[in-house]
Amino acid sequence: MPLTPADDTFAETLNRTLPEGTLRRAEPRYLEEPRGRWQGISGWVALPRTVEEVSAIVRACNAAHVGLLPYGGGTGLVGGQIAPEGPAPLILSLERMSAIRAVYPEENVLVAEAGAVLADVQAAALEANRLFPLSLASEGTARIGGLLSTNAGGVNVLRYGNAREQVLGLEAVLPDGTIWHGLKRLRKDNTGYDLRGLLVGAEGTLGVITAAALKLSPVPAATGTALLAVESPAAALGLLALAREQLGEMVSAFELIGRMGFDFLAEALPEVRQPFAEPPAWCVLVELGLAQGMDPETALEALFTAGMEAGLVSDGLLAQSEAQARAFWDIRERIPEANRAIGAIASHDVSLPLSALPEFIETGLARLARLGDFRVNCFGHLGDGNLHYNVFPPKGRKKQEYVAIRGDVQRCVHDLVHEMGGSVSAEHGIGRLKVDDLERYSDPAKLAAMRAIKAALDPGGIMNPGAVIRG
């Protein structure tokens, strides 16, 4: 049965069942996404304040066969939060459900509603002298519900894992409007299928996350940050292995930055201070989170010395203050801003086995050269195998000149990723952008299981129609 639009007639009927002010016309911000590829068509947005109101909205949409589009902070990069075509769905924004319901420092647990902004969750954890380690550039606007629904990654995955690893329990509304009271704070719960793990990463296609019990960690007693120049990605991997041999799980982040990243910053954001007089071909941004009694400067100097002796490191800068550490991170976090200013032909969020990364980077450049003259800005979370491998026109040319071959560029990169045992979506999700990629590269058994799960939980296909699984 085809979906029906969330038109004025449906909105009028729904509005009579909800508290005043819950339903309103969709403002432009709900119809836009960061990369500007799509424009949403939804006319109405619901802003519930409680899980019971979410339940009522979902139940009404299910009964009327109206599509429902869960909306977090709108920061997603694959179009999962926007409906550019089809019968207009009702947008369901969780922004009013932003409370920190409870903090349990002795349990290392924080319970937050789905609309809580990541930065606010981090701050609430710090107030209890705890760390919520999920960290990414959009943390000032990204909301917990969206981050969990996309199984977000970020810079600390190496040490703490993806978003799924930060969740103990969930409260959620299923597609028929049923409330799942799964907000447990348990480390062990072997009572059947892991519905928590299923909803995290489902991008709102199987239900609406309304709250989560989040896992906290101790705040490191001391932190240290360094930029270390290396000759190649292979040398960077050797340095990562050395760092983990010396420091184990105290390596919190290990980010790869190529020369092109520094060049793009100089070209598009000249106000960003360059750390090296001459940018190296490659460097790594290392952050350590140390236990009590350990000195970060000593630990980083030992790593630098060992890296020099092993022929892995050619130069390095150790942050001497918190301000300098922030400046180092500002370089890494503003590379995407520079990328947007220059304009990518195609952006790729990919992951590979660590040992395959150097070959992938070089082989990718060679294969792309067969298609044309490009610049490639390769950077990312080397410690967990996640690269942002973004392709740009030569200096002086615009991305609009390459629209006709964008698909060829993406296919070139993704085919290589698949050949080398990688994933074409490391941390951004599938959304609408990568539905074709999911079908092209996924194992048939996995795809069949995903479709069966979708059909079982959402037989009407109302939840985020068009995202992840083709309708």
Side-chain angles (χ1 to χ4, degrees), residues 51 201 255 368 413:
V51 66
E255 299 286 300
L368 286 168
V413 174

Side-chain angles (χ1 to χ4, degrees), residues 7-46:
D7 55 17
D8 290 357
T9 301
F10 171 77
E12 183 179 347
T13 301
L14 178 62
N15 196 39
R16 289 197 290 266
T17 69
L18 298 172
E20 185 177 353
T22 302
L23 200 63
R24 64 173 63 163
R25 293 281 183 183
E27 302 166 32
R29 66 187 176 99
Y30 296 109
L31 307 177
E32 301 165 349
E33 48 84 30
R35 287 182 170 166
R37 293 189 179 182
W38 296 286
Q39 181 71 29
I41 60 171
S42 302
W44 292 92
V45 57

Side-chain angles (χ1 to χ4, degrees), residues 73 114 124 185 215 265 279 328 420 433:
R185 310 193 305 273
K215 193 186 303 181
L265 286 169
F328 287 177
M420 300 184 74
L433 179 66

